[in-house]
Short mmCIF file of all heavy atoms in Angstrom, two decimals:
data_model
loop_
_atom_site.label_atom_id
_atom_site.label_comp_id
_atom_site.label_asym_id
_atom_site.label_seq_id
_atom_site.Cartn_x
_atom_site.Cartn_y
_atom_site.Cartn_z
N PHE A 1 24.96 67.13 103.17
CA PHE A 1 25.28 67.55 101.84
C PHE A 1 24.61 66.61 100.86
O PHE A 1 24.05 65.59 101.25
CB PHE A 1 26.81 67.43 101.61
CG PHE A 1 27.64 68.38 102.45
CD1 PHE A 1 28.56 67.93 103.35
CD2 PHE A 1 27.55 69.77 102.27
CE1 PHE A 1 29.36 68.81 104.17
CE2 PHE A 1 28.29 70.65 103.01
CZ PHE A 1 29.23 70.16 103.90
N ALA A 2 24.69 66.92 99.58
CA ALA A 2 24.14 65.95 98.59
C ALA A 2 24.93 64.65 98.69
O ALA A 2 26.15 64.68 99.01
CB ALA A 2 24.34 66.62 97.16
N PRO A 3 24.26 63.54 98.38
CA PRO A 3 24.99 62.29 98.52
C PRO A 3 26.28 62.16 97.69
O PRO A 3 26.25 62.63 96.56
CB PRO A 3 23.94 61.23 97.96
CG PRO A 3 22.65 61.86 98.21
CD PRO A 3 22.92 63.34 98.03
N GLY A 4 27.32 61.66 98.30
CA GLY A 4 28.58 61.53 97.64
C GLY A 4 29.55 62.68 97.85
O GLY A 4 30.72 62.61 97.55
N THR A 5 29.02 63.81 98.36
CA THR A 5 29.90 65.05 98.52
C THR A 5 31.05 64.72 99.48
O THR A 5 32.22 65.07 99.14
CB THR A 5 29.07 66.24 99.02
OG1 THR A 5 28.07 66.49 98.04
CG2 THR A 5 29.94 67.46 99.23
N THR A 6 30.80 64.17 100.66
CA THR A 6 31.91 63.97 101.61
C THR A 6 32.86 62.97 101.10
O THR A 6 34.06 63.02 101.42
CB THR A 6 31.29 63.62 102.95
OG1 THR A 6 30.44 62.45 102.85
CG2 THR A 6 30.54 64.75 103.60
N ASP A 7 32.40 61.98 100.36
CA ASP A 7 33.33 60.97 99.79
C ASP A 7 34.28 61.64 98.81
O ASP A 7 35.52 61.41 98.85
CB ASP A 7 32.55 59.83 99.02
CG ASP A 7 31.84 58.96 100.02
OD1 ASP A 7 32.35 58.69 101.14
OD2 ASP A 7 30.73 58.50 99.70
N ARG A 8 33.78 62.58 98.02
CA ARG A 8 34.68 63.25 97.01
C ARG A 8 35.64 64.18 97.76
O ARG A 8 36.70 64.37 97.26
CB ARG A 8 33.80 64.12 96.08
CG ARG A 8 32.97 63.28 95.08
CD ARG A 8 32.44 64.15 93.93
NE ARG A 8 31.50 65.12 94.41
CZ ARG A 8 30.19 64.88 94.57
NH1 ARG A 8 29.68 63.73 94.27
NH2 ARG A 8 29.32 65.85 95.00
N LEU A 9 35.23 64.70 98.94
CA LEU A 9 36.19 65.52 99.66
C LEU A 9 37.21 64.73 100.49
O LEU A 9 38.14 65.31 101.04
CB LEU A 9 35.40 66.47 100.60
CG LEU A 9 34.52 67.48 100.00
CD1 LEU A 9 33.60 68.18 101.03
CD2 LEU A 9 35.37 68.57 99.31
N GLY A 10 36.99 63.40 100.53
CA GLY A 10 37.93 62.63 101.32
C GLY A 10 37.54 62.55 102.78
O GLY A 10 38.43 62.16 103.62
N VAL A 11 36.32 62.86 103.17
CA VAL A 11 35.93 62.79 104.52
C VAL A 11 34.62 62.03 104.74
O VAL A 11 33.74 62.33 105.53
CB VAL A 11 35.70 64.27 105.15
CG1 VAL A 11 37.08 64.95 105.18
CG2 VAL A 11 34.77 65.09 104.30
N GLY A 12 34.44 60.95 103.85
CA GLY A 12 33.31 60.13 103.99
C GLY A 12 33.46 59.12 105.13
O GLY A 12 34.48 59.11 105.85
N TYR A 13 32.48 58.34 105.36
CA TYR A 13 32.47 57.40 106.49
C TYR A 13 33.61 56.46 106.42
O TYR A 13 34.22 56.14 107.55
CB TYR A 13 31.10 56.59 106.49
CG TYR A 13 31.08 55.59 107.60
CD1 TYR A 13 31.12 55.96 108.96
CD2 TYR A 13 31.13 54.19 107.31
CE1 TYR A 13 31.07 55.01 109.97
CE2 TYR A 13 31.11 53.21 108.37
CZ TYR A 13 31.08 53.67 109.67
OH TYR A 13 31.09 52.71 110.63
N LYS A 14 33.98 55.97 105.35
CA LYS A 14 35.07 54.90 105.26
C LYS A 14 36.38 55.56 105.73
O LYS A 14 37.07 54.95 106.56
CB LYS A 14 35.28 54.47 103.80
CG LYS A 14 36.33 53.43 103.62
CD LYS A 14 36.37 52.90 102.14
CE LYS A 14 37.46 51.88 101.97
NZ LYS A 14 37.57 51.42 100.57
N GLU A 15 36.63 56.77 105.34
CA GLU A 15 37.90 57.44 105.70
C GLU A 15 37.90 57.76 107.24
O GLU A 15 38.86 57.57 107.90
CB GLU A 15 38.19 58.71 104.92
CG GLU A 15 38.42 58.51 103.46
CD GLU A 15 37.20 58.31 102.62
OE1 GLU A 15 36.13 58.39 103.11
OE2 GLU A 15 37.42 58.11 101.35
N LEU A 16 36.77 58.34 107.66
CA LEU A 16 36.74 58.87 109.06
C LEU A 16 36.54 57.76 110.10
O LEU A 16 37.11 57.81 111.16
CB LEU A 16 35.65 59.92 109.17
CG LEU A 16 35.86 61.19 108.32
CD1 LEU A 16 34.83 62.17 108.70
CD2 LEU A 16 37.22 61.71 108.43
N SER A 17 35.89 56.68 109.75
CA SER A 17 35.70 55.59 110.74
C SER A 17 37.01 54.82 110.93
O SER A 17 37.26 54.15 111.90
CB SER A 17 34.63 54.63 110.27
OG SER A 17 34.90 54.06 109.03
N ALA A 18 37.88 54.85 109.85
CA ALA A 18 39.21 54.24 110.03
C ALA A 18 40.07 55.04 111.05
O ALA A 18 40.87 54.44 111.72
CB ALA A 18 39.93 54.21 108.66
N ILE A 19 39.83 56.28 111.13
CA ILE A 19 40.52 57.14 112.08
C ILE A 19 39.96 56.94 113.49
O ILE A 19 40.72 56.93 114.48
CB ILE A 19 40.50 58.63 111.66
CG1 ILE A 19 41.19 58.87 110.32
CG2 ILE A 19 41.04 59.56 112.76
CD1 ILE A 19 40.90 60.21 109.76
N ASN A 20 38.64 56.91 113.54
CA ASN A 20 37.97 56.76 114.86
C ASN A 20 36.83 55.72 114.73
O ASN A 20 35.69 56.09 114.36
CB ASN A 20 37.35 58.14 115.30
CG ASN A 20 36.67 58.07 116.61
OD1 ASN A 20 36.52 57.01 117.21
ND2 ASN A 20 36.21 59.21 117.13
N PRO A 21 37.11 54.50 115.07
CA PRO A 21 36.12 53.40 114.89
C PRO A 21 34.89 53.63 115.76
O PRO A 21 33.87 52.94 115.51
CB PRO A 21 36.90 52.13 115.29
CG PRO A 21 38.30 52.47 115.14
CD PRO A 21 38.42 53.94 115.50
N LYS A 22 34.95 54.47 116.74
CA LYS A 22 33.79 54.71 117.61
C LYS A 22 32.89 55.94 117.13
O LYS A 22 31.90 56.23 117.71
CB LYS A 22 34.24 55.02 119.07
CG LYS A 22 35.02 53.88 119.71
CD LYS A 22 35.37 54.21 121.14
CE LYS A 22 34.17 54.16 122.02
NZ LYS A 22 34.54 54.27 123.49
N LEU A 23 33.26 56.42 116.00
CA LEU A 23 32.54 57.58 115.44
C LEU A 23 31.13 57.25 114.99
O LEU A 23 30.96 56.19 114.30
CB LEU A 23 33.34 58.19 114.28
CG LEU A 23 32.73 59.50 113.66
CD1 LEU A 23 32.82 60.67 114.60
CD2 LEU A 23 33.35 59.77 112.33
N ILE A 24 30.13 58.01 115.33
CA ILE A 24 28.82 57.92 114.76
C ILE A 24 28.79 58.97 113.64
O ILE A 24 28.96 60.15 113.79
CB ILE A 24 27.68 58.33 115.79
CG1 ILE A 24 27.82 57.48 117.04
CG2 ILE A 24 26.35 58.15 115.11
CD1 ILE A 24 27.65 55.96 116.85
N TYR A 25 28.58 58.45 112.35
CA TYR A 25 28.60 59.26 111.15
C TYR A 25 27.21 59.39 110.63
O TYR A 25 26.63 58.35 110.21
CB TYR A 25 29.56 58.64 110.18
CG TYR A 25 29.87 59.47 108.94
CD1 TYR A 25 31.12 60.10 108.81
CD2 TYR A 25 28.97 59.65 107.94
CE1 TYR A 25 31.47 60.91 107.72
CE2 TYR A 25 29.26 60.48 106.83
CZ TYR A 25 30.48 61.04 106.72
OH TYR A 25 30.80 61.77 105.63
#
């Protein structure tokens, strides 16, 4: 997506890596 899109949706790296620290994003 365009930069910043997933952060605005609440599914950026910060949010998802907190759920799964082994995730490659």
Side-chain angles (χ1 to χ4, degrees):
F1 295 118
T5 300
T6 53
D7 290 325
R8 289 193 297 272
L9 292 170
V11 293
Y13 176 67
K14 183 178 179 181
E15 291 83 2
L16 298 187
S17 63
I19 296 169
N20 180 356
K22 298 184 73 172
L23 182 70
I24 307 298
Y25 189 106

